[in-house]
Amino acid sequence: MPNSIVLEPIFERDFLPGNYGFRPGRGCKDALREVDQWLKAGSTWVVDVDLESYFDTIPKAPLLARVAEKVSDGTLLDLLQRFLDQEILEGMQQWTPLAGVPQGSVLSPLLSNRYLHPLDRVVAQAGYQMVRYGDDLVLLCRTQAEAEAALALVQDWTLQHGLRLHPEKTRIVDSSQGGYGFAFLGYRFARGRRYVRWKSLMALRDKIRQKTGRTRSGSLEHIITELNPMLRGWFNYFKHARFPIFRTIDGFVRRRLRALLRKREKRPSFGGSRQDHQRWPNAFFAAHGLFTLHEAYVQARQSR
């Protein structure tokens, strides 16, 4: 497989500032910060772009041509061709995909960035503000007319380059008004505020359930030791969301732990929520070192 360490500095010289995905020294928080800045500056008309099955539909030949614009080493290009032509084994069937890049490789995000770089350039030259993280991208405009023109530009470019916009998920929204707003990198932006996207919250709850099953083994201290890094990491990413969500998550975690402890004591599972709270109050879990998102939020506000 071609070495991404060789290709990355070659492509990095061309990548534009609005491209934040899978790049050294850049990340989701930087992209979110720029979106915030444009919204506060009055660019509240947002083109929420969804590239349908992007990684699976990148045309191979044009992608190789994009790489060849910057790389002349025939051996490296040949290795890249073999990488893209890897066969897929699913059950008893094996085939070579006609398009797309193999996912799971450190090289795939770099190649996907390279393929969308001309779109970044076209949008910038047209004077529109776009923030992109991989295939997740939004254009921030000051008027509806500007947003419609920006969307038309993106539609034309994707059509010419073998990509598709999802007809239902790609839309224009005035984020300053009521309603859902738009989603970007796990957050939902609406009326000048950030919220945790429902999908992000459900994903966290599923992870908590996996670690707090009533029949799982291990001491309470061990379970809390597993939970804390996940809860702390989630808080650090979503700490700019509206804070009532943190109390909700804290309550959910403690209910799961109480149900686990109740099961171990062979107590009945009905009508015991008040008794459980008395038997294992919030302070009990705090004494065992459980990370509390709401307390972390309060401390962060005080420090600011």
Side-chain angles (χ1 to χ4, degrees), residues 73-136:
D73 188 313
T75 301
L76 186 59
L77 293 173
D78 182 59
L79 286 172
L80 181 58
Q81 179 75 68
R82 295 182 192 179
F83 168 73
L84 294 174
D85 288 340
Q86 289 183 63
E87 293 186 334
I88 294 177
L89 179 63
E90 187 173 327
M92 299 299 292
Q93 295 184 329
Q94 187 171 359
W95 74 94
T96 301
L98 300 177
V101 296
Q103 296 192 48
S105 164
V106 294
L107 188 60
S108 298
L110 182 61
L111 294 175
S112 70
N113 255 344
R114 177 61 188 166
Y115 195 71
L116 285 181
H117 172 66
L119 174 61
D120 297 342
R121 195 169 54 220
V122 166
V123 169
Q125 289 172 349
Y128 301 122
Q129 307 301 330
M130 183 169 77
V131 180
R132 181 170 70 82
Y133 192 97
D135 61 335
D136 199 351

Side-chain angles (χ1 to χ4, degrees), residues 3-17:
N3 196 329
S4 61
I5 298 176
V6 175
L7 294 174
E8 183 179 77
I10 298 173
F11 296 157
E12 269 294 321
R13 288 195 290 267
D14 289 343
F15 288 159
L16 300 186

